[in-house]
Amino acid sequence: MGLFKPNIARMKAKGDVEGLVRALSHKDVEVWADAKIALKDLHDARAIQPLITQLSSADFNVRGWAAELLGLLRATQAVEPLIAALRDNTMRKAAIEALGLIGDARAVEPLMAIVHKHYDENARIAAAEALVRIGKPAVEPFIIALKEDAKDVRQVAAEALVKIGTPAVEPLINLLHANDMNLSKKAAEALGQIGWNPGKDENGARYWITQDRWDKCIEIGTPAVEQLIRALPQPAAAEALGRIGTPAVEPLFAALEHGDPSVRQAAVKVLGKIGDPRALKPLISVLGDEHVREGTVKALDRLGWCPGEDENGARYWIGKNRWDICIKIGRPAVEPLLAAIKASDQHARRAAMEALGKIGDGRAVEPLISALMDHDVCQVATEALVKIGNPAVQPLIPALQHTSTEVAKAAAEVLERLGWRPGEDEDGARYWITKNRWDKCIEIGKPAVEPLLRWLFQTPQRGSLEQIARDRPFGDHTDLILEASSYGPITETYWDEGVWPSEEIRHTEYNYSLEDGDKAITSLCASKNPLSTNLLHLVAEKPDATNVMFPLEGSQKPMMGTLSFAYQRQRARAELKARGDPAYDPELYKQAGIWDLPPASPH
């Protein structure tokens, strides 16, 4: 084509579109420029296939002109090749514009990919403009793009939807109802720019809520109720619902069961303000909800409700902190009071426990025993159990073996105050363990072995081990058992800046070092005595001791740390697996001669 100068005017007159397409590759600027103009003027569909071929030209200028002309020709046959051309940096912009002119829905996805991800802002804007030309098929993808994290993508999408206009209105109205208020506001802004006028319906109400025009919602009235409930707990929404009045009453009942306590509180407040008798039963049903109880009591007072001497009456008086009336109600008040001891309000928990103690119903025993684990209310729960008396005795005996030392000690205190006396059995041993009376355990003999071992290996605490070492309840094997149950090094520690614990404190406890513990585990692993299997089970189950406090010389604050037992657990579990995972046998301790174990390491 570069050897002679073609006559563009003659080609145009003859309609030689193939020749004109070839002329686009001519080196003479005047030739290819005239050829391009001629092809535009002819607007001949016969040029489409030759132009598609030129999309693969070695000359990037020719590729770009071919894309441009294909767009002008609205050549749907060229959509797929033009989509492929979007990967070519040198002709991307021309391909984008051509796809926009063609207006084929097949181009929406690849063009949206550029809007979402492309690093070139000019390419993103060009792709958005092309999608605006395509119109309706691009609306939903732009709606989705409004939800993007990237601000620039959201901005491009919002502007594009406004330009698309009417086809975007219905999807934008749907978006008004999104759970994300920011999305709703973007939809409302776009609708306003398009020129949409909100009506006196739910859509209109949602629109005005995004604009904080609560007065408009009140004007709309009943159709606005559901949208205003959705807007709770905003005070302005609650105020508007109160102004709308009775049409809001029944729809508000569902809000009393909302997952957000603040929404439930707002619903209760509005129902109380409206004062419709229909709200009486639903309000009574939520008296057991501690998050709304106070507001519910006020709402019921507004409605003139008089509580009876039943569970709902008790819940009402709990809401007023009238524990004395709950005590007068008696047994019907027990279940509401049991719920109150689980409340977040510590004052209410203590008062409920005191009331349960005074009522003396056995249903309160187990929950009160569970409350012994809570340091904040342990003493109150203890006193309540003492007041309940004999019904508490039998449930308290199993609590003597609780893994929490505080619970076991509290249970022992209550039992003692109720006149229970320990026997020479396992329960008696557990009682004396809470008192650190190892001498009593020794007197009990074999029945005390299992409770003592369980206490040593399952209670993550720092107990009076020095006294155990002195009283020697396990005879010659006391040291071995203490070594096997001794913790390893302190981990996860923190202490005052500039004050470090000594090497001795960091690596030993109760004069039993990690080295001694290692030797003890080795001895147990080497032993073929069935008792060693039981002890290895106890080692394998022993927990770490957390939040252990160590006073440090020169520091006002103690060191806090976790005493690790991980190494011992790992060794014991490996040995048990090697033995074929034999079962733990609690009856073993009663057998004669079972205490023939390897000796402890010397101290």
Side-chain angles (χ1 to χ4, degrees):
M1 182 63 73
L3 299 177
F4 62 92
K5 187 174 182 178
N7 189 325
I8 300 301
R10 185 179 299 171
M11 288 181 177
K12 180 180 179 182
K14 290 182 176 182
D16 183 6
V17 292
E18 291 190 16
L20 289 170
V21 170
R22 287 196 298 274
L24 292 174
S25 303
H26 203 281
K27 293 182 179 180
D28 188 316
V29 175
E30 185 180 352
V31 171
W32 59 252
D34 289 344
K36 182 180 175 184
I37 293 170
L39 285 165
K40 285 182 179 179
D41 291 343
L42 287 173
H43 203 76
D44 194 321
R46 291 176 300 158
I48 290 174
Q49 197 54 52
L51 286 170
I52 290 173
T53 302
Q54 291 294 350
L55 289 175
S56 302
S57 171
D59 187 332
F60 72 87
N61 287 314
V62 174
R63 298 197 298 273
W65 297 330
E68 180 185 344
L69 290 165
L70 286 166
L72 292 170
L73 288 167
R74 308 294 193 272
T76 56
Q77 308 95 307
V79 169
E80 295 299 336
L82 285 168
I83 288 172
L86 293 173
R87 295 191 292 268
D88 184 346
N89 292 337
T90 62
M91 60 175 299
R92 180 177 294 116
K93 190 170 184 297
I96 289 171
E97 291 174 353
L99 288 167
L101 288 168
I102 294 168
D104 193 292
R106 287 174 291 172
V108 170
E109 186 176 343
L111 289 172
M112 282 304 303
I114 294 173
V115 171
H116 279 282
K117 301 177 182 177
H118 209 275
Y119 61 88
D120 183 345
E121 185 63 20
N122 291 328
R124 175 182 285 124
I125 293 170
E129 290 294 338
L131 287 161
V132 168
R133 283 180 172 273
I134 293 172
K136 188 174 182 178
V139 171
E140 282 302 329
F142 274 129
I143 293 288
I144 294 170
L146 284 176
K147 304 172 186 178
E148 278 280 327
D149 292 334
K151 184 178 178 180
D152 50 356
V153 173
R154 297 198 305 269
Q155 186 62 35
V156 167
E159 292 173 358
L161 287 165
V162 172
K163 290 176 181 176
I164 291 172
T166 301
V169 168
E170 186 175 342
L172 284 169
I173 290 172
N174 293 334
L175 192 62
L176 274 176
H177 299 277
N179 290 328
D180 184 341
M181 182 54 76
N182 289 326
L183 274 177
S184 297
K185 287 183 176 181
K186 289 182 184 302
E189 182 181 352
L191 286 166
Q193 291 178 18
I194 291 171
W196 177 76
N197 292 314
K200 291 193 173 184
D201 54 13
E202 283 200 22
N203 295 331
R206 185 63 176 175
Y207 175 86
W208 292 119
I209 286 170
T210 68
Q211 309 299 303
D212 292 329
R213 289 296 304 275
W214 309 99
D215 56 321
K216 292 287 187 179
C217 294
I218 295 167
E219 288 178 14
I220 291 171
T222 302
V225 168
E226 290 293 344
Q227 296 305 317
L228 286 167
I229 291 173
R230 281 187 67 196
L232 293 175
Q234 292 188 65
E239 177 65 25
L241 285 164
R243 295 276 298 279
I244 290 171
T246 53
V249 171
E250 291 190 5
L252 277 165
F253 295 163
L256 295 174
E257 299 177 7
H258 197 279
D260 185 344
S262 60
V263 172
R264 302 199 298 273
Q265 289 166 359
V268 165
K269 188 175 181 179
V270 175
L271 287 169
K273 180 179 180 179
I274 294 172
D276 192 300
R278 289 175 295 169
L280 198 59
K281 188 175 180 180
L283 285 170
I284 292 170
S285 73
V286 296
L287 274 170
D289 183 347
E290 67 163 315
H291 296 100
V292 302
R293 186 181 290 125
E294 184 179 350
T296 302
V297 166
K298 291 178 180 177
L300 289 169
D301 285 344
R302 278 174 171 264
L303 289 165
W305 182 65
C306 295
E309 292 190 353
D310 54 11
E311 288 192 3
N312 286 327
R315 293 186 183 102
Y316 173 89
W317 293 115
I318 287 170
K320 284 185 171 286
N321 291 321
R322 290 298 305 273
W323 309 100
D324 55 326
I325 299 180
C326 292
I327 295 166
K328 289 179 182 177
I329 290 173
R331 289 178 58 84
V334 170
E335 291 299 332
L337 287 168
L338 288 175
I341 71 174
K342 300 175 184 177
S344 56
D345 183 343
Q346 295 297 331
H347 171 74
R349 294 182 69 200
R350 294 189 185 96
M353 289 178 189
E354 290 174 359
L356 286 165
K358 291 176 181 178
I359 292 171
D361 192 289
R363 286 175 289 172
V365 172
E366 292 291 350
L368 286 169
I369 291 173
S370 297
L372 294 175
M373 286 188 289
D374 188 335
H375 178 74
D376 291 332
V377 295
C378 178
Q379 191 56 45
V380 181
T382 298
E383 296 300 327
L385 286 164
V386 171
K387 284 186 174 68
I388 290 173
N390 285 333
V393 171
Q394 287 304 315
L396 277 165
I397 293 172
L400 290 170
Q401 57 184 313
H402 200 284
T403 54
S404 166
T405 306
E406 289 75 15
V407 173
K409 285 183 176 180
E413 179 189 340
V414 176
L415 285 167
E416 183 178 353
R417 291 172 64 181
L418 291 175
W420 180 80
R421 293 295 176 261
E424 293 190 353
D425 55 12
E426 291 189 358
D427 290 332
R430 294 183 184 106
Y431 172 84
W432 291 119
I433 286 169
T434 68
K435 306 291 185 181
N436 293 334
R437 290 294 301 274
W438 318 114
D439 55 325
K440 291 288 187 180
C441 293
I442 293 168
E443 288 177 13
I444 290 172
K446 286 181 180 179
V449 173
E450 167 76 4
L452 274 168
L453 287 172
R454 284 289 180 187
W455 179 80
L456 273 172
F457 284 95
Q458 291 192 349
T459 304
Q461 62 153 8
R462 303 177 75 231
S464 301
L465 300 191
E466 293 89 346
Q467 189 174 344
I468 291 179
R470 185 178 65 249
D471 291 345
R472 310 189 71 72
F474 305 106
D476 292 340
H477 305 293
T478 297
D479 285 330
L480 174 68
I481 290 169
L482 287 174
E483 289 170 3
S485 68
S486 63
Y487 286 104
I490 303 166
T491 60
E492 301 176 15
T493 55
Y494 60 90
W495 42 80
D496 282 350
E497 184 177 355
V499 180
W500 292 79
S502 67
E503 194 70 17
E504 181 182 0
I505 289 179
R506 286 191 297 171
H507 292 287
T508 67
E509 193 198 15
Y510 315 122
N511 299 318
Y512 293 100
S513 68
L514 180 60
E515 181 181 357
D516 292 333
D518 191 28
K519 289 177 181 177
I521 302 297
T522 300
S523 294
L524 291 175
C525 291
S527 173
K528 302 306 177 186
N529 188 317
L531 180 59
S532 66
T533 296
N534 269 15
L535 293 176
L536 286 168
H537 269 288
L538 294 170
V539 170
E541 296 168 5
K542 186 175 176 72
D544 294 342
T546 58
N547 298 324
V548 180
M549 298 176 63
F550 293 90
L552 298 175
E553 187 176 350
S555 173
Q556 293 183 351
K557 294 183 180 178
M559 183 182 75
M560 299 292 293
T562 294
L563 291 168
S564 172
F565 203 71
Y567 173 72
Q568 295 94 317
R569 283 197 301 269
Q570 183 180 2
R571 286 201 61 192
R573 288 169 183 172
E575 176 61 23
L576 288 168
K577 187 174 182 181
R579 294 186 183 191
D581 292 320
Y584 178 85
D585 183 5
E587 298 298 315
L588 197 61
Y589 307 113
K590 301 173 185 178
Q591 297 180 17
I594 201 65
W595 288 98
D596 297 331
L597 285 169
S601 55
H603 280 269

